[in-house]
Amino acid sequence: GESVGLHLPTLSVQEGDNSIINCAYSNSASDYFIWYKQESGKGPQFIIDIRSNMDKRQGQRVTVLLNKTVKHLSLQIAATQPGDSAVYFCAENTPPYDKVIFGPGTSLSVIP
Amino acid sequence: DSGVTQTPKHLITATGQRVTLRCSPRSGDLSVYWYQQSLDQGLQFLIQYYNGEERAKGNILERFSAQQFPDLHSELNLSSLELGDSALYFCASSVAQGSYGYTFGSGTRLTVV
């Protein structure tokens, strides 16, 4: 069945460094991908998205890369800050876009 | 504040009991989605409603049911509760039936003892 998985369950980075969180997906029919950030005690919060007709999209301090050939996407966070500490989920959506499927999540810890 | 309101925030109940979780979607959103988040299962899609009608179903147990009312708020009913039902339950909403991404509420933490 369809699934979205993460290579690294935990990631620790030094404040100011760049962070890279990776994700693999298995459903080749998925054409829309989203990264969510979940802080303790809160619901998932949209960070950035990308459609399958793109391979890169940039936001404020974040970049998402999509490699459809190997079904892989990544989230890059520039100049990581303590406020970036959270669990990050990649998620995919597939026509008719009636449910977002989440990966297991990566916990990002920023070391001051 | 995301605009999606979930109540209660915390709920402690005994095995075998029944509870109702409530969700008010963001103003203007017609679709409501329910997710269960447990430590070993991650975020699992349960069910979607659009404008009062069920539109998509995930791995929702038969002991669980949901509905969306004319004012668009939704309720998730969990019955014959088991210890394994302890989890965070999130509601999300979106404008359309088929939407790329959603806005999530802060969740209801259910503890079954």
Side-chain angles (χ1 to χ4, degrees):
Chain A
E2 57 193 27
S3 66
V4 178
L6 291 167
H7 295 312
L8 299 174
T10 60
L11 179 65
S12 293
V13 298
Q14 205 73 36
E15 181 178 357
D17 288 350
N18 296 334
S19 303
I20 299 177
I21 302 172
N22 295 302
C23 175
Y25 65 95
S26 61
N27 189 347
S28 57
S30 293
D31 61 4
Y32 182 71
F33 304 90
I34 314 141
W35 282 99
Y36 284 92
K37 173 186 181 182
Q38 186 177 23
E39 296 174 281
S40 181
K42 297 183 179 180
Q45 178 186 5
F46 173 92
I47 302 174
I48 192 169
D49 58 0
I50 188 168
R51 297 190 189 191
S52 60
N53 61 352
M54 304 170 68
D55 54 18
K56 179 180 181 179
R57 188 158 189 232
Q58 289 184 293
Q60 188 176 14
R61 283 201 308 117
V62 294
T63 300
V64 54
L65 300 176
L66 175 63
N67 185 330
K68 295 181 290 293
T69 302
V70 295
K71 297 179 185 172
H72 180 270
L73 70 160
S74 65
L75 176 70
Q76 300 178 1
I77 304 173
T80 311
Q81 303 169 0
D84 294 327
S85 294
V87 176
Y88 290 81
F89 293 93
C90 65
E92 62 182 313
N93 211 341
T94 308
Y97 309 111
D98 55 2
K99 55 183 176 295
V100 169
I101 303 300
F102 284 81
T106 291
S107 177
L108 175 65
S109 177
V110 181
I111 304 166
Chain B
D1 182 9
S2 68
V4 179
T5 304
Q6 290 189 248
T7 57
K9 291 192 181 302
H10 302 277
L11 198 50
I12 302 175
T13 190
T15 55
Q17 296 298 305
R18 172 189 167 95
V19 297
T20 298
L21 312 182
R22 182 187 170 102
C23 169
S24 293
R26 214 174 40 161
S27 177
D29 286 356
L30 300 179
S31 280
V32 170
Y33 311 80
W34 286 96
Y35 282 79
Q36 179 192 55
Q37 185 176 35
S38 56
L39 286 176
D40 58 346
Q41 293 292 321
L43 272 158
Q44 298 291 314
F45 170 74
L46 295 178
I47 198 164
Q48 181 212 15
Y49 279 83
Y50 173 76
N51 205 21
E53 295 188 9
E54 181 186 307
R55 292 297 188 179
K57 219 167 184 177
N59 297 322
I60 186 167
L61 299 172
E62 287 189 8
R63 300 183 286 109
F64 296 1
S65 65
Q67 54 185 328
Q68 185 180 28
F69 295 87
D71 67 353
L72 300 177
H73 91 271
S74 178
E75 294 181 355
L76 179 67
N77 301 296
L78 315 176
S79 61
S80 302
L81 285 167
E82 302 175 358
L83 296 177
D85 297 328
S86 295
L88 272 166
Y89 290 84
F90 287 103
C91 168
S93 72
S94 68
V95 171
Q97 173 184 341
S99 294
Y100 295 128
Y102 318 143
T103 300
F104 281 82
S106 296
T108 293
R109 180 174 292 280
L110 173 66
T111 303
V112 182
V113 298

